[in-house]
Amino acid sequence: MAMLPALQSRFSDLYSVVYDLIDDAKKTRALVKLYKGSHGADNPHPVVPQVGEYFFRERRGLLAFLCQESGAEHMSPRALERYDAARSPRIPSRDIYKLFAESSRHAGETDESFLRRVASREHRLGWYRGGSSGFDDEARACLAAHFGSTGISAHADEILVCCGGAKGAFLSLCAAVMCRHERERVHRMSGRILAPAGYYQSLRVLPPVVGGTIDVVDTLSGRTVSAWLADTARVPGTLVYVPLVNNFDGRVLIEDRARAIAEAVLQHNRRHPRTPVYVLGDDVYAGSYLTTTRARPIGSITGTELGHPELGNMADWTLSVATPSKTFALPTSRVAFAHTTNPALRSAVNHYRTMLSYGRVPQGDELTAAAAICLTPQQWIDDWNRTYARRVDWLSARLQVLNHELGVQAFGLCRPEGGWYTALRIHPRLFPLQLPSSVHALAVCLHYGGDQMDSGVGLLPGELAGYRLTRDTPEFVLRASVAVTDSTLDTFVRRLADLARRVTGPDGHRVIAEALNRARSVVPDLDTIVTGAT
């Protein structure tokens, strides 16, 4: 009997390798875990579980919940106004209702009769339904209002709902742009995606699934996008990834930069209608701003404001993605909402969403996700933003004190403008041995303590998000989260101090060598993998 080929059971891509190193370190030490992406809140705002509890008890949707919570005797738009006045949701429920009515009201229905009809519907938990939950019209109206609040003019019929969180929407878009499905065969076109250093680290694993590759630039700007588009003008299946908040250093997309990128894209697509470029607008951190710097979603830019109305609008070429997992602290609802005004793009994304089983969204998840995004009060978000900003200030001050004690500027911090990540920069002079990458610096951070249980710091290395060590940028870059407790940050600084003392002490060479040996015991070809990935 012929031997069947063995399945691949170990993987050597950089994403898998980094998490293999972290998972191994967790087995033998109590890491300070600053690599996680979770919000600082243990739970979302209380209104979110209230919506979920109401849904499973009454099997009714958001509008029914809002009317009940208003205390009004009758279901009417006035009940929604009472709810808004009492609860101060981030998105007024009256705005949601207006968008819902525009897309779903029957001819001849009054405001009251329409609201009574939709608020009285029951979700049958034992039934399969089309679309996503079957009553996804409520959720889509919520997200149209959310996108509108960020400057992206949207209608409920333009919203897609995806399982799998942001990655579900991202992968569906990659497939839509980089594949052709003809009869029973899917043809991959080897597309390319441009992303800035600091991109969402999971993005690197998605294009390869559909045959694509990622090109990285230090900064996404009108100039760098134009240059890349000129080089790829004849390449089918191109995308530009534009994050509203950089996932590594917290830099926000300011208006001038958004406009320059938009003009580059719109001008290119006018000149190359047969090979247009599409845009992934990663807007999952919308609202998470730590400074007064104004962020501008790429999907909100219009040709008219650029002085060229003939170019059209970025929403025609952009899939803008929102989730409840970041700003609204509901990562357990693995749901993403996506918007584009382009019917062909929406149809293509919808097709691959269905093929990849991201189309049927659990009803409870869908509604609680929409509730988190729209009903969370702005004050709750602002309070958390202030907490993160305070922690960044505290951490920056503590690192300055540590550097003074060490007598060298060993540790630096990139002050984020949004989100809750900061790029920790470690000067190579801290280490007596030359390390070839931030992945190797991570290995030292994980294992500098030898057999000591209370040691080790878990971070994400910059190479995972497109950073590279160069002569001009020789510092190691590792991402740290400030969405942790104050005591965790205090432990983090104390462990950095311990790391610095050990690697600069008389046994520094041995400490580093043993840490690297431990990493290579987990990933024997670590050096080759890192070199190949960067």
Side-chain angles (χ1 to χ4, degrees):
M1 180 178 179
M3 293 291 292
L4 294 176
L7 290 175
Q8 182 181 359
S9 60
R10 292 186 63 84
F11 300 88
S12 57
D13 61 286
L14 188 61
Y15 184 93
S16 299
V17 163
V18 167
Y19 283 98
D20 284 346
L21 294 176
I22 292 173
D23 289 343
D24 170 71
K26 288 191 296 184
K27 296 175 184 176
T28 57
R29 60 192 73 250
L31 288 182
V32 172
K33 300 174 182 177
L34 299 191
Y35 57 87
K36 289 182 172 290
S38 303
H39 193 281
D42 290 334
N43 295 290
H45 187 272
V47 70
V48 180
Q50 288 169 8
V51 169
E53 189 272 339
Y54 176 83
F55 167 76
F56 282 107
R57 186 184 72 244
E58 303 292 337
R59 296 187 301 280
R60 298 185 190 276
L62 284 174
L63 290 177
F65 169 82
L66 294 169
C67 289
Q68 175 181 281
E69 291 297 303
S70 74
E73 294 183 5
H74 304 288
M75 291 183 180
S76 71
R78 185 164 295 179
L80 302 180
E81 294 173 359
R82 289 183 60 174
Y83 178 90
D84 292 342
R87 298 293 191 89
S88 300
R90 178 180 156 271
I91 304 295
S93 62
R94 198 70 170 81
D95 293 353
I96 296 169
Y97 169 79
K98 181 181 179 181
L99 287 165
F100 191 14
E102 286 177 358
S103 64
S104 301
R105 183 160 52 190
H106 294 165
E109 274 190 315
T110 65
D111 281 348
E112 287 75 11
S113 61
F114 169 67
L115 182 58
R116 283 197 301 271
R117 174 172 65 83
V118 297
S120 300
R121 301 180 302 183
E122 282 194 7
H123 293 248
R124 302 303 175 94
L125 302 182
W127 289 10
Y128 281 108
R129 293 185 179 274
S132 51
S133 75
F135 291 147
D136 67 327
D137 45 10
E138 283 189 272
R140 288 188 287 104
C142 286
L143 268 294
H146 161 74
F147 282 115
S149 75
T150 70
I152 299 173
S153 180
H155 299 285
D157 292 340
E158 296 169 342
I159 306 296
L160 289 172
V161 191
C162 294
C163 286
K167 282 189 281 190
F170 292 1
L171 182 57
S172 298
L173 176 62
C174 287
V177 173
M178 299 180 185
C179 294
R180 290 293 180 271
H181 190 183
E182 298 172 347
R183 298 188 180 181
E184 304 307 312
R185 300 192 65 179
V186 175
H187 304 276
R188 303 192 303 178
M189 298 189 299
S190 301
R192 289 165 66 180
I193 181 168
L194 178 68
Y199 60 77
Y200 172 45
Q201 69 275 6
S202 294
L203 181 70
R204 69 181 297 121
V205 304
L206 301 180
V209 174
V210 293
T213 56
I214 297 182
D215 299 327
V216 180
V217 289
D218 291 337
T219 300
L220 208 62
S221 66
R223 181 182 59 80
T224 57
V225 171
S226 293
W228 183 79
L229 289 174
D231 289 342
T232 59
R234 297 180 181 276
V235 176
T238 53
L239 272 168
V240 180
Y241 169 77
V242 185
L244 186 61
V245 177
N246 187 286
N247 200 64
F248 213 90
D249 63 13
R251 184 185 184 190
V252 304
L253 181 67
I254 61 173
E255 186 156 348
D256 287 350
R257 194 156 58 90
R259 286 184 173 187
I261 294 168
E263 184 159 10
V265 168
L266 293 173
Q267 293 283 11
H268 171 87
N269 287 352
R270 189 183 186 197
R271 292 192 300 268
H272 302 277
R274 296 180 62 84
T275 54
V277 63
Y278 294 91
V279 174
L280 172 51
D282 182 352
D283 296 346
V284 301
Y285 287 97
S288 288
Y289 306 128
L290 310 189
T291 70
T292 57
T293 301
R294 184 170 180 264
R296 184 75 189 273
I298 191 66
S300 69
I301 306 295
T302 67
T304 298
E305 70 180 275
L306 297 176
H308 300 285
E310 72 279 3
L311 294 179
N313 302 322
M314 280 302 294
D316 295 334
W317 305 103
T318 303
L319 189 76
S320 299
V321 178
T323 74
S325 62
K326 298 301 182 182
T327 302
F328 311 102
L330 192 65
T332 46
S333 181
R334 305 305 295 165
V335 176
F337 301 92
H339 170 263
T340 181
T341 54
N342 185 328
L345 178 59
R346 190 163 55 249
S347 177
V349 172
N350 179 55
H351 174 76
Y352 288 99
R353 178 189 71 151
T354 301
M355 282 188 66
L356 296 166
S357 297
Y358 292 138
R360 290 191 181 272
V361 182
Q363 299 170 37
D365 284 349
E366 179 180 279
L367 290 173
T368 53
I373 291 172
C374 291
L375 302 187
T376 298
Q378 186 63 46
Q379 184 64 47
W380 187 89
I381 298 168
D382 292 342
D383 287 346
W384 274 106
N385 288 341
R386 283 189 289 270
T387 296
Y388 296 143
R390 175 183 60 78
R391 287 175 178 163
V392 170
D393 290 341
W394 181 90
L395 182 57
S396 179
R398 284 290 300 272
L399 291 180
Q400 289 179 23
V401 171
L402 177 56
N403 287 337
H404 179 74
E405 293 173 351
L406 295 171
V408 62
Q409 290 297 309
F411 302 105
L413 208 62
C414 292
R415 300 184 71 87
E417 299 168 323
W420 48 82
Y421 306 121
T422 179
L424 175 71
R425 295 185 177 273
I426 304 178
H427 200 282
R429 285 183 298 179
L430 181 67
F431 303 108
L433 294 179
Q434 184 176 359
L435 301 179
S437 76
S438 297
V439 179
H440 293 79
L442 168 65
V444 178
C445 290
L446 294 172
H447 298 295
Y448 69 86
D451 295 331
Q452 183 179 330
M453 179 69 177
D454 293 330
S455 67
V457 176
L459 305 159
L460 289 186
E463 286 84 358
L464 200 57
Y467 288 95
R468 295 174 176 84
L469 295 185
T470 67
R471 287 186 176 181
D472 295 330
T473 56
E475 293 177 312
F476 304 111
V477 182
L478 299 109
R479 193 189 79 178
S481 170
V482 296
V484 294
T485 64
D486 292 344
S487 62
T488 299
L489 283 182
D490 182 67
T491 302
F492 169 56
V493 175
R494 287 189 283 107
R495 291 194 181 180
L496 286 182
D498 187 28
L499 179 154
R501 283 191 290 269
R502 289 175 184 253
V503 300
T504 58
D507 293 329
H509 285 74
R510 177 185 59 79
V511 169
I512 294 173
E514 289 181 355
L516 296 179
N517 286 340
R518 174 62 181 263
R520 290 171 180 135
S521 73
V522 177
V523 184
D525 47 353
L526 176 67
D527 305 297
T528 302
I529 292 170
V530 172
T531 300
T534 58

